[in-house]
Amino acid sequence: MSFTWEGTAWTLSSSQSISKQKKDEESAGGNRTGAGGKKASAAQLRIQKDINELNLPKTCEILFPDQDDLLNFKLVISPDEGFYKGGKFVFSFKVGQGYPHDPPKVKCETMVYHPNIDLEGNVCLNILREDWKPVLTVNSIIYGLQYLFLEPNPEDPLNKEAAEVLQTNRRLFEQNVQRSLRGGYVGATYFERCLK
C-alpha cells in the first residue's frame, strides 16, 4: 500500500506498497518527527504504524486530505454485496492524542438508511465504544465498518425505525435501502444519491 496524489488528497489503496515509500523516506533522511519538524506524539507514531500495516479490503480506500496530518483521514467503503451493494459511503476518522488508549472518533459523512448509523452520521460499532482496547487498530475498525454493511445489526440500533423495518419486513427494508441509495425519500427523510 502507498499514497498516491489524487488532485486534492493523498490516497492509500490496497494495490500499492507503503513499506517501500517508508524506506525511501528513511534513506532520504526521514526521521520520527511530525509536521514542522516537531517530535511525533505517541498517537502519531501509533497511527503511522497502523497505516503501514493496513490490509485494506478491495472495497475500501483511505484518503488523506492533508498529507502531513495522519490523525485526520477519510475512509470510503463501496460494498460489493448485500443490501448496500453499489453504494459509496464516506467516513471521517479523527484520531485524538489519547490514541491508542482512546478509540478514534468516526462519523459517516454519507447520509444512509441503516440501523447502526443514525441520520447525523453517528456509528454504532461496539469497538468504537465499550469494547475498545489499545491492541485494536484502524484495520479492526475498517473491517468492523465494512461488516455493518454486510450484516446490519437491528439488535443494537441507532436508527430505530430502520432496525424495526429490518426485523419485521426484510423486503421493505431492502426497498428502503435501494430508494435511499438512488436518492429519494424514505418516509419524511430525503437521502442524496450515493451509488458509485
Side-chain angles (χ1 to χ4, degrees):
M1 295 188 205
S2 82
F3 298 101
T4 54
W5 183 252
E6 307 238 341
T8 60
W10 287 93
T11 302
L12 179 67
S13 62
S14 59
S15 63
Q16 302 162 332
S17 169
I18 199 165
S19 57
K20 181 184 181 320
Q21 178 182 342
K22 187 177 176 188
K23 287 176 186 167
D24 291 347
E25 288 173 359
E26 287 171 356
S27 66
N31 57 21
R32 297 182 133 205
T33 58
K38 298 178 192 164
K39 186 170 172 90
S41 70
Q44 289 168 319
L45 293 172
R46 171 61 189 273
I47 199 69
Q48 178 68 54
K49 178 181 184 295
D50 283 5
I51 290 167
N52 288 341
E53 295 174 356
L54 272 177
N55 183 17
L56 287 177
K58 64 180 175 25
T59 57
C60 296
E61 178 181 25
I62 290 187
L63 306 172
F64 293 88
D66 178 353
Q67 71 176 9
D68 294 325
D69 183 6
L70 298 182
L71 299 178
N72 294 287
F73 57 91
K74 309 242 186 248
L75 169 69
V76 179
I77 299 179
S78 303
D80 59 2
E81 59 183 297
F83 292 120
Y84 299 91
K85 180 179 180 177
K88 182 176 179 181
F89 307 96
V90 178
F91 292 84
S92 64
F93 279 64
K94 294 188 184 323
V95 180
Q97 291 302 320
Y99 185 76
H101 301 287
D102 301 322
K105 303 283 186 234
V106 178
K107 289 274 254 194
C108 185
E109 294 183 353
T110 308
M111 196 164 149
V112 58
Y113 181 81
H114 194 292
N116 309 111
I117 303 171
D118 69 17
L119 299 177
E120 287 76 45
N122 298 306
V123 179
C124 183
L125 185 64
N126 61 340
I127 63 171
L128 290 175
R129 302 176 312 185
E130 70 274 0
D131 289 343
W132 177 258
K133 294 173 182 55
V135 297
L136 294 172
T137 63
V138 169
N139 212 47
S140 308
I141 298 168
I142 291 170
Y143 276 89
L145 292 170
Q146 182 186 24
Y147 189 73
L148 283 181
F149 287 105
L150 298 175
E151 292 291 331
N153 180 5
E155 301 299 322
D156 190 17
L158 281 179
N159 182 335
K160 291 176 179 23
E161 186 271 329
E164 185 178 324
V165 174
L166 176 56
Q167 287 179 313
T168 60
N169 188 341
R170 286 181 74 83
R171 181 71 188 126
L172 178 58
F173 178 80
E174 184 175 7
Q175 290 171 351
N176 286 347
V177 169
Q178 290 305 309
R179 188 175 302 120
S180 70
L181 294 178
R182 287 190 308 267
Y185 284 93
V186 175
T189 305
Y190 181 76
F191 294 84
E192 295 284 334
R193 180 182 173 85
C194 64
L195 289 171
K196 294 192 293 183

